[in-house]
Structure formats: C-alpha cells, structure tokens
Amino acid sequence: MAPLSPVSCFVFICMFILVSVNASTTPNIIFILADDYGYNDIGYHGSEIQTPNLDRLAKSGVRFENYYVQPICTPTRSQLLSGRYQIYTGLQHSIIWPTQPNCLPVSMTTLPQRLKDNGYATHAVGKWHIGFYKKECLPTSRGFDSFFGYLTGSEDYWTHYRNGGFPSTFMKHWYAYDLHDDLRPAWEYTGNYSTYIFTERVQNIITKHNTNEPFFLYLALQSVHSPLQAPDEYINMYSHIKNKNRRLYAAMTTCMDDAVGKIVQSLKDNLVWNNTILIFSTDNGGQVLQGGNNWPLRGWKASYWEGGMKAVGFTSSPLLPLNVQGTITKELMHVSDWFPTLVQGIANGNISDLTLDGFNVWPTISENKPSPRKELLHNIDAFEEKDKSVFNVNMTAAIRVGDWKLLTGHPGANNGEWIPVPDSGIEAFKPLLIPNQQVWLFNITADPYEYYDVSQSHPDVVSQLIERLGYYYNTSVPAYWPDFDERANPAYHQDVWGPWD
C-alpha cells in the first residue's frame, strides 16, 4: 500500500479532529410532532401514501412499535412537555379550547426549561395548544427562547384564521388570526401555507444557530390535522385516490414528508446533522372522518382503543450505535418518557429533583436494553366521587400493565370500530355491542388489534387492573374544565387570538 501524501494526511487528521469534536459535544435535538397522523399513513406500515423521507430516516434509525401517545392533542403535548400524566395537570378531560382560561400549570417545570438549564438554545415552531390565556402560559414564558406558530388547536393552513368553536355556538363568529412570531402577530405570512413557512423558519434557525451551544428544536407541525388543505402540486400526485378526504390527506402527508426531508438536508448543509438526534412522533391516532387511517388497529383519534393511541414514531441519528441503526424496538414507551429521556438520557441533565411519570428510555433506544416502563396509565377521565375506596367503572379510563390492557366506561370510536382504507375492498369486522358493557380486557401483546375481550375469563386480572386505576384515581387532581371567558373574544384584541387575563 502506497504511503499517504502530506495533503491526504492533513485532510485525514482534520476529519478525525472534526469527528472527535462532534462526538464529544452535547447533541442537538429536533423533536418533530405530526398532528392527527394515522398509524396506517406512513410508507413503512404499507400505506399507499408516499413518505420516502420518513421511511429513509426510520430505516436508518430505531423504529418504535410499542409506543403510545394520548388520544387527542392537548393531553399529548402537555405530557411531552411536562413528563406528567394528565391526571396530575388537571387536563384529563379534553383539549383546551381557545376561549377557556386554562393552560399547563405554570408551576410545573417544562422540558425546554430543564434543557435550557443544561445549556441548550430552545426553539418552538408550529402548534402550541397547551393554553395561552395569560402571558405566563405562552411558549416564551415556558422555556423557549423563540416561538413561531399558532396558539390554538387548528386553523386555516393559508390564512391562519380560526373561529372560537366550543363551548358556545355563537363563538363561531369569533373569527380571528392566530400566527405569532414570539409575542407579535405575524400578519405578513397571511396566504402562505403553514408547512412551508414552518419549514423555512426551522431552516433559518439551523442556519443562524451558534454552534458553540446545542439546540433543542420542537417542531409541532400543523399537518395533517383538518381542515384538509394542500398545495395543488401535491393534490395532483394523488388524483387516482377516489375518496376526496383521503386524497387531500395523502397530499398533506407527502407535503409534510418533503418538509422533513428539507430540514434534514439543512442540518447536513450546515454540518450539524452528525451531532443531531431527530425524533419523530404523531400526537394521536388518525381521524378517519378527515382522511386518516389506523388500519388494522381498532378505533381512531379521541378513543382509548389502539387506533387512538398507538403511535407512529422513530429516532434517527448518526450518533446511534451502528448495531441499533435500522432496528425495530417493541419495548413499551410513552410520550411522557421523552422528558427524562431527552434531559437525562441525551443531555446528561439532572431530573432527581422532579416528580415525573416518564422514564428514561434512551438505553432502550440506543443500547437495545429492556424498557424500564412496565405500566402505562392511558388516562382516567374522572368525575369526583365522595367514596373513592372502590373505582367506579362508569368512568372512562384505560391502563396497560405488562401484556394486559383494561378499558372502562366509554372508550369511544363507536365502541371501537375497525376502519379500513376507503375503497380498499376490505370488509372489516364490526365490534360486538353488549348493552351496558363497561369493562374490556385484552392481552394486547397476543391480540394487538383488540379482537378478543377476555374480561369474563380473567376476572382476577380485571380486579388487579381496576385496583391500579383506583390507586391512580386516589392520587389524581380534579379535572379543570373552566367555562368560556367572554374576555377571550378576539374583537377585544385587534382580531388576534392571544392572552386576555
């Protein structure tokens, strides 16, 4: 073998130094949260929707196939950013509506706050939806250095306007703008598609970032939540899909996929990809009424069946050991686990002073070790009772312990229907309707599609899991569900959704 030339030696040494420096620095973290993204809507699950960038990232990373989120938006986001079950934040009932004086309790330490303590620059782009009625609830008051996005739960992708919605029908006339650049209304983006402008903002943050400090970038995409809107170039890609909602949803999904691809390319162009960990997750199951699909899982968004909570998710990074790149983990994971995983597992930060419901699953992801999580409280949507000694199964709740999953009350989704992709020709089973049934039990490992309720044949397991629900109920705080506040009317605030208290 011929000896290396002086120039080649110099290049090799420089590359070695660069790799060594990157390997020793604290990793950057990008967390991408898709909205209402269905289990059956990503290429690697066999979807007809094209997601080449997501598929490529997942194939080179670690895919999660026993990973759960919450059935709807606010609960997932609150648990991601607090590491606490929603029974401890008062948010166990539903989402936060624009007119409700409510937010993730300001007394709670958030994920970006703790990452800032560990030297991270922190940025939020996209959807907030954990409350904004007072300034203390806003992203830049909860640990983010910057925020570009919208505060409510949904809006027009192009105009960035929305109405007031629930809880009073007259609030449909409370039609106002909701796109903010830190604390100011970002009027100049009216008419620009949200996926484009959020991608552009993320690219700008990456380009301008001071490489002497790590960054945490939380991108909560509007895609693929309703309203179903997409640029024509993407709609035309799916002219063969007959169902209009499915066609528009597919277009929005591929547009989202392209956005992720552009972000990763920006990381590479700015020479920071090799020191970045990317995490992708959905916030809940797909909404079948708006084009999403979770087949072959049972149920959909807003239900406690698997289709409402079992999530698309993966981690991708050159920092992952080679022996785990391209693998699938079936270890139990939950969205609340990201707080300790990012702070302790990736940033090497301290969480000993915090009470968390999440677990550090970084060894599970990066070393293929067993998950420390053996139990998962999906939720208890409780009403207050004087006698808490026996758990009332009229309350809607769900819990997972080992292989077992118990549901009580009203799990949703028309008793858990199985919904195939429109025009697929698949004839789905119909759930057995038993009048006044309030308890279901499944061995979710052996029966991941929840075909066989075994509550009658395993009364001992039912009793054990109801006892666990009782434990959680007795430690929970009451659900906080305030009435609407007239002061929220955007007409009082220059026709912009924002704080009013």
Side-chain angles (χ1 to χ4, degrees):
M1 179 178 176
L4 292 173
S5 68
V7 173
S8 297
C9 287
F10 177 78
V11 171
F12 178 82
I13 292 169
C14 288
M15 290 179 65
F16 177 81
I17 292 173
L18 179 62
V19 170
S20 299
V21 169
N22 282 344
S24 65
T25 55
T26 305
N28 305 306
I29 302 168
I30 292 187
F31 196 103
I32 301 176
L33 189 66
D35 202 342
D36 287 8
Y37 190 36
Y39 184 83
N40 191 34
D41 298 331
I42 192 163
Y44 65 68
H45 280 163
S47 177
E48 80 277 28
I49 300 174
Q50 298 177 37
T51 57
N53 294 293
L54 294 174
D55 294 341
R56 192 178 305 114
L57 288 165
K59 187 176 181 180
S60 64
V62 179
R63 247 172 68 187
F64 314 139
E65 292 297 344
N66 197 10
Y67 168 54
Y68 290 85
V69 291
Q70 296 306 108
I72 48 178
C73 307
T74 297
T76 287
R77 292 156 206 274
S78 68
Q79 296 199 42
L80 166 66
L81 295 179
S82 71
R84 299 304 317 269
Y85 288 148
Q86 63 205 74
I87 63 166
Y88 300 123
T89 62
L91 299 173
Q92 57 265 55
H93 184 56
S94 184
I95 64 170
I96 296 175
W97 291 91
T99 54
Q100 287 183 298
N102 196 9
C103 72
L104 178 70
V106 296
S107 60
M108 288 189 165
T109 300
T110 66
L111 172 59
Q113 286 171 336
R114 191 45 60 99
L115 286 173
K116 276 180 68 70
D117 292 343
N118 286 275
Y120 276 77
T122 57
H123 306 280
V125 176
K127 176 173 171 176
W128 183 237
H129 206 195
I130 55 172
F132 62 89
Y133 79 102
K134 56 184 179 179
K135 288 185 178 180
E136 292 85 351
C137 302
L138 297 178
T140 49
S141 297
R142 304 308 303 268
F144 286 106
D145 294 326
S146 72
F147 171 67
F148 179 70
Y150 59 109
L151 300 170
T152 61
S154 63
E155 61 180 9
D156 189 284
Y157 280 73
W158 299 95
T159 69
H160 315 298
Y161 275 77
R162 67 155 295 146
N163 60 35
F166 182 86
S168 296
T169 55
F170 76 84
M171 291 181 191
K172 291 180 179 179
H173 301 292
W174 291 15
Y175 194 65
Y177 194 71
D178 185 15
L179 186 66
H180 304 260
D181 196 342
D182 289 335
L183 299 179
R184 73 171 184 87
W187 295 104
E188 66 271 27
Y189 292 97
T190 304
N192 291 273
Y193 192 68
S194 70
T195 305
Y196 291 164
I197 61 176
F198 293 156
T199 302
E200 183 181 78
R201 177 54 62 96
V202 170
Q203 291 175 309
N204 288 340
I205 291 171
I206 293 168
T207 300
K208 297 177 181 179
H209 177 70
N210 178 0
T211 56
N212 292 323
E213 62 180 353
F215 64 77
F216 169 57
L217 210 163
Y218 171 47
L219 172 59
L221 289 161
Q222 184 172 0
S223 309
V224 284
H225 196 291
S226 62
L228 300 179
Q229 298 172 314
D232 288 342
E233 63 178 293
Y234 291 98
I235 298 173
N236 293 337
M237 292 175 59
Y238 293 101
S239 59
H240 60 283
I241 296 181
K242 296 178 182 179
N243 183 278
K244 181 180 179 182
N245 281 2
R246 186 65 175 169
R247 182 168 65 251
L248 291 170
Y249 179 94
M252 297 164 69
T253 301
T254 298
C255 183
M256 173 182 71
D257 180 82
D258 280 351
V260 175
K262 291 175 182 177
I263 290 166
V264 172
Q265 189 59 51
S266 290
L267 291 166
K268 293 177 179 178
D269 292 344
N270 287 275
L271 304 180
V272 292
W273 172 242
N274 286 339
N275 194 44
T276 297
I277 295 170
L278 183 148
I279 299 156
F280 181 88
S281 172
T282 184
D283 70 336
N284 46 249
Q287 174 52 273
V288 297
L289 302 177
Q290 297 289 341
N293 192 262
N294 308 293
W295 180 266
L297 302 179
R298 185 175 184 175
W300 56 85
K301 175 183 177 178
S303 78
Y304 291 97
W305 306 102
E306 293 292 279
M309 302 185 296
K310 192 169 186 179
V312 171
F314 61 82
T315 295
S316 189
S317 173
L319 296 174
L320 288 169
L322 289 175
N323 67 308
V324 300
Q325 291 185 25
T327 63
I328 296 172
T329 178
K330 295 185 178 180
E331 293 294 313
L332 185 61
M333 297 170 55
H334 182 243
V335 68
S336 64
D337 296 333
W338 290 119
F339 189 121
T341 299
L342 270 55
V343 174
Q344 184 183 55
I346 296 176
N348 198 30
N350 178 39
I351 57 171
S352 62
D353 59 322
L354 299 174
T355 300
L356 300 174
D357 297 301
F359 294 85
N360 175 12
V361 294
W362 189 242
T364 303
I365 296 169
S366 63
E367 302 174 48
N368 199 28
K369 290 186 176 181
S371 173
R373 178 177 286 282
K374 308 301 178 186
E375 178 175 296
L376 169 55
L377 176 68
H378 291 300
N379 192 29
I380 302 173
D381 188 1
F383 43 79
E384 286 299 301
E385 293 199 305
K386 293 181 180 179
D387 181 9
K388 294 187 177 183
S389 60
V390 179
F391 185 80
N392 186 342
V393 295
N394 284 319
M395 293 190 290
T396 299
I399 190 171
R400 169 86 176 268
V401 179
D403 296 329
W404 297 105
K405 177 183 177 182
L406 182 81
L407 302 98
T408 67
H410 306 280
N414 295 340
N415 205 46
E417 291 187 40
W418 294 270
I419 305 294
V421 174
D423 303 315
S424 64
I426 297 174
E427 291 290 333
F429 293 107
K430 294 293 182 182
L432 178 64
L433 298 177
I434 301 176
N436 302 316
Q437 182 174 4
Q438 295 172 321
V439 174
W440 295 259
L441 178 70
F442 300 94
N443 183 323
I444 212 67
T445 303
D447 179 24
Y449 308 139
E450 298 171 298
Y451 287 137
Y452 308 107
D453 171 22
V454 293
S455 59
Q456 295 299 313
S457 58
H458 290 78
D460 55 333
V461 178
V462 171
S463 296
Q464 291 170 15
L465 269 60
I466 287 177
E467 183 177 344
R468 290 303 296 159
L469 286 175
Y471 161 77
Y472 282 113
Y473 179 49
N474 277 284
T475 62
S476 67
V477 302
Y480 185 58
W481 184 247
D483 199 358
F484 79 95
D485 191 332
E486 171 70 25
R487 295 176 298 166
N489 189 342
Y492 302 143
H493 312 286
Q494 293 76 50
D495 292 323
V496 175
W497 287 107
W500 66 86
D501 191 2

